[in-house]
Amino acid sequence: LGMSERGVGEAFLILSLFNVIWFLVLAKLQFWQFRMYPGLVSLGLRAVALGILLVVTSRAGIMGCMIILGITCAMAYSSSFFHGCSGSANRAGRMAVHESVLASSNVAGAIIGGVVYQSGSALAAYLLAAAVTVAGLAGQLYLAGRWKARRSWVGRAGGGE
């Protein structure tokens, strides 16, 4: 990306700052609760921002992508946490699985991303992150389609489980 160490530090500061700001915004709003589409839109925006990082050269462009990444990271975590513990009698078990998956993903992502960065470049690491995000979005869209089809089947007269 052609950034100095200071520039990289500032970029991640912006990402973290907007992550915190969006956590505070989500705490006050309910538009995203019990709805799958805000999370899907957020994941799509994350993929777009990672894709833009592959071609952007300006400092302002990079910082703009970091703002989007900070917001979408907060949205993803809040959404997964909220929906993981909502509506279940076994919240402790669900949240244990949730946090285990997040922790293992963070470790695996850091290791694999670091190896890709060292053997290739920062652009290769961003391309990998964009590809993983798109794969996750595709999986969630597939599941959302199955959920919607199931709900329409259950709602039919004489249909259901």
Side-chain angles (χ1 to χ4, degrees):
L1 295 175
M3 295 177 67
S4 66
E5 288 180 12
R6 179 182 173 159
V8 171
E10 289 172 351
F12 283 103
L13 171 67
I14 293 297
L15 184 147
S16 298
L17 178 64
F18 277 86
N19 192 305
V20 169
I21 289 169
W22 200 247
F23 276 131
L24 295 172
V25 168
L26 290 173
K28 300 293 182 190
L29 301 175
Q30 288 82 36
F31 76 93
W32 57 276
Q33 296 175 355
F34 300 109
R35 294 190 177 100
M36 71 178 90
Y37 294 107
L40 294 174
V41 169
S42 177
L43 197 54
L45 287 173
R46 183 176 189 78
V48 168
L50 287 165
I52 291 171
L53 278 175
L54 295 171
V55 296
V56 72
T57 56
S58 71
R59 185 172 189 271
I62 292 169
M63 295 304 173
C65 288
M66 291 298 158
I67 290 170
I68 294 169
L69 291 174
I71 289 170
T72 59
C73 184
M75 183 71 198
Y77 183 82
S78 295
S79 185
S80 68
F81 190 88
F82 177 82
H83 293 100
C85 67
S86 294
S88 174
N90 184 16
R91 287 186 180 118
R94 286 176 80 173
M95 295 320 298
V97 170
H98 175 265
E99 292 300 323
S100 297
V101 168
L102 287 179
S104 60
S105 298
N106 283 335
V107 170
I111 291 170
I112 294 168
V115 168
V116 168
Y117 175 79
Q118 286 182 338
S119 63
S121 66
L123 294 178
Y126 285 130
L127 181 59
L128 175 63
V132 169
T133 302
V134 168
L137 177 59
Q140 288 193 21
L141 287 170
Y142 170 76
L143 292 173
R146 286 190 56 185
W147 178 81
K148 189 173 184 178
R150 181 176 173 272
R151 289 197 40 111
S152 67
W153 171 255
V154 171
R156 289 187 200 157
E161 301 176 346

